Amino acid sequence: NRLIVFYTNKVEIFSLPAEELEQENPLIGLDGEHPGQACLTEFGVAWINSQGVYFYAGEKVTSLSDKIKNMWVGEDDYTAFWKSDTDDTPLIAYDPESKKLMCLKTSNVNSGFSGAEDILQFSFKTQAWTYKKNALTDNTKKRFTVYKGQLVFDNGVRVQTWNDSPSVGTGSGGNVIYTKDYDFGTPGVRKKVYKVYVTYKTGDASGSVDTNVQVKYGVDGDSTPTETFKNGTNFSDNELGTTSSSAEWHVAELKPTTLSTANNIKSFRLAFTCDDIVPAGFEINDITIVYKTKSIK
């Protein structure tokens, strides 16, 4: 029972049927008149501009992209992904099957891309963002829509269905996950991390499967974690162990190689990388960090 009106510099929300103005949100409108900058989901309305991604579910407008704001303003290696060209008009689409928003850098197919195009995805299930490299083929036409409950797009040759299921890659180094920098709710207090537990599996097939997933850690805001863990249960040579049955969950116990590096710290983060092909069905169910808060001196 709301009418949402998009402008290039603001968003207005009217109540229906009276059409009374309820909200006026300045500076978060669309970048232009491209219809692909807003989309409808079963949870609410989402839209995108060169500053971020926004969402309205009936109460107030919220930003979904604050936690990855650097991908827009260019504070790290994602500079080339977003706002690298003033002519770029970012697009957004919704996949009803995976419950994810898909964000594309630009609607301009002649913007100088070489090779496949990367995308950003936001999951309504996990409330988390994913950066996917080479998700779209080179010069894919930027026309997406939902048809019979499925996200479809025109790749310049034919209309096809978007498939969000993981697949086995053909190279190494393409899968990287960095957790946030955990301060455990007390950013100014020193801690000691004793160990980390990671529950994981490699897929649905039977038999022994290598994960090819390495785990390292960083402290106090380290953006490129390189500290290592000792060999232990389901963990050796910096890698999550080979599973005896790829359909079952396994728990790896990780203890810092150098205890002093994980002592007297204020924050802690993990890095999951790969040195070979990661199984398509690889999953991490949960991560537990065992730590102790130290007294304030």
Side-chain angles (χ1 to χ4, degrees):
N1 60 346
R2 298 291 188 276
L3 173 66
I4 304 176
V5 182
F6 294 99
Y7 300 88
T8 55
N9 62 346
K10 66 179 178 178
V11 176
E12 292 181 342
I13 300 175
F14 296 84
S15 63
L16 296 176
E19 295 190 11
E20 294 181 355
L21 180 63
E22 284 190 350
Q23 295 184 39
E24 184 177 56
N25 301 276
L27 306 179
I28 60 171
L30 306 185
D31 288 330
E33 298 180 354
H34 200 295
Q37 284 206 294
C39 64
L40 181 65
T41 78
E42 66 257 49
F43 309 105
V45 175
W47 65 96
I48 192 171
N49 59 34
S50 58
Q51 303 300 319
V53 177
Y54 304 90
F55 183 69
Y56 176 73
E59 294 184 0
K60 64 178 182 179
V61 174
T62 59
S63 171
L64 298 179
S65 55
D66 283 347
K67 65 179 64 177
I68 57 164
K69 196 67 174 179
N70 55 341
M71 292 185 184
W72 270 263
V73 301
E75 294 177 358
D76 61 10
D77 293 340
Y78 292 106
T79 303
F81 178 81
W82 212 262
K83 288 191 71 176
S84 59
D85 190 329
T86 56
D87 293 330
D88 288 343
T89 300
L91 302 181
I92 194 169
Y94 178 64
D95 180 10
E97 288 196 337
S98 66
K99 312 299 182 187
K100 293 178 182 179
L101 294 171
M102 184 169 66
C103 303
L104 291 74
K105 174 183 171 64
T106 181
S107 61
N108 182 8
V109 297
N110 298 315
S111 59
F113 287 127
S114 59
E117 183 182 349
D118 307 335
I119 63 172
L120 285 168
Q121 283 187 309
F122 176 80
S123 171
F124 284 100
K125 293 179 180 179
T126 64
Q127 295 292 300
W129 284 92
T130 304
Y131 175 65
K132 289 191 174 182
K133 291 184 67 64
N134 303 331
L136 296 174
T137 57
D138 192 18
N139 291 327
T140 296
K141 303 298 182 182
K142 310 307 192 304
R143 293 192 289 267
F144 287 81
T145 189
V146 175
Y147 177 71
K148 292 185 177 180
Q150 291 184 304
L151 182 64
V152 297
F153 68 99
D154 177 4
N155 70 348
V157 178
R158 61 187 177 88
V159 175
Q160 62 188 77
T161 302
W162 172 259
N163 184 3
D164 197 65
S165 300
S167 60
V168 177
T170 57
S172 62
N175 297 279
V176 179
I177 299 175
Y178 292 108
T179 70
K180 72 175 185 179
D181 205 27
Y182 295 103
D183 59 27
F184 307 104
T186 53
V189 179
R190 297 175 299 121
K191 299 100 179 170
K192 180 178 181 179
V193 172
Y194 292 94
K195 64 181 70 174
V196 176
Y197 293 101
V198 179
T199 304
Y200 68 98
K201 66 179 178 180
T202 54
D204 298 327
S206 60
S208 178
V209 179
D210 293 335
T211 68
N212 296 318
V213 175
Q214 286 76 48
V215 189
K216 295 183 180 181
Y217 72 93
V219 301
D220 296 341
D222 186 1
S223 60
T224 55
T226 57
E227 299 295 338
T228 61
F229 293 100
K230 299 178 181 178
N231 291 347
T233 304
N234 290 322
F235 189 79
S236 62
D237 298 328
N238 300 319
E239 186 170 294
L240 295 176
T242 299
T243 61
S244 56
S245 174
S246 59
E248 296 179 358
W249 292 105
H250 297 74
V251 179
E253 183 183 54
L254 289 64
K255 297 181 180 179
T257 301
T258 305
L259 296 178
S260 60
T261 306
N263 191 19
N264 292 318
I265 64 173
K266 293 182 179 179
S267 62
F268 183 85
R269 75 183 308 188
L270 294 168
F272 295 84
T273 60
C274 68
D275 63 352
D276 205 334
I277 297 173
V278 176
F282 178 82
E283 295 181 41
I284 295 176
N285 185 69
D286 57 79
I287 301 171
T288 301
I289 302 173
V290 181
Y291 73 99
K292 178 182 180 181
T293 301
K294 309 196 80 171
S295 59
I296 301 176
K297 297 182 179 180

